[in-house]
Amino acid sequence: MVSKDQAIGGVIFAVCVIIGVLYTLGLFYFGNPFGWALSFTLVAIPVFIAFIAVMAIGAWIGWTMATTPPPKPIEEITSELEEKKEEAPETKEAEKTEAAAEPKEEEKKPEKKTKKEK
């Protein structure tokens, strides 16, 4: 039995092979049976699609750059890191005193049932 992904892949493969063969036959083998318009059209359509795809990617990159907020200045980031380093020893000391004041309770693990109890 073929999975859904494999079936879709097979269809995509078949369509690409058929289009490739027809394109090649239309461009080179038939030698313009309808005049110059057929070979021009066969070249113009893929070039147009590729051009539009490149322009769409460029527009997407530009939109992303235009709508993304600028990053913080490096000075601001370093000052935040320094503040955190200064606060860190104070918080560690407070945690140690709280831990010493409160005794820890041991956690009980749930007992496993044997096959006979089930």
Side-chain angles (χ1 to χ4, degrees):
M1 185 72 187
V2 177
S3 73
K4 183 178 177 180
D5 293 337
Q6 289 175 327
I8 292 172
V11 170
I12 292 171
F13 173 77
V15 168
C16 288
V17 168
I18 291 169
I19 289 174
V21 168
L22 291 176
Y23 180 83
T24 304
L25 290 176
L27 190 60
F28 296 112
Y29 183 71
F30 290 121
N32 300 333
F34 304 111
W36 69 274
L38 178 65
S39 63
F40 173 77
T41 305
L42 287 176
V43 172
I45 290 173
V47 170
F48 173 74
I49 291 171
F51 176 76
I52 294 299
V54 169
M55 292 298 109
I57 292 169
W60 175 64
I61 291 170
W63 176 259
T64 302
M65 290 176 69
T67 58
T68 302
K72 291 181 180 180
I74 192 72
E75 294 85 16
E76 189 176 324
I77 294 171
T78 54
S79 64
E80 287 178 3
L81 289 175
E82 289 173 1
E83 289 174 7
K84 287 181 182 178
K85 286 181 182 178
E86 291 172 1
E87 293 175 3
E90 295 171 3
T91 56
K92 287 181 182 177
E93 291 173 9
E95 289 175 1
K96 288 180 183 177
T97 56
E98 289 176 8
E102 298 175 8
K104 290 185 179 179
E105 296 180 15
E106 292 184 23
E107 295 181 14
K108 295 183 179 179
K109 293 182 181 178
E111 296 178 10
K112 293 183 180 178
K113 294 183 179 179
T114 60
K115 290 182 182 179
K116 293 179 184 177
E117 292 177 356
K118 290 181 183 178

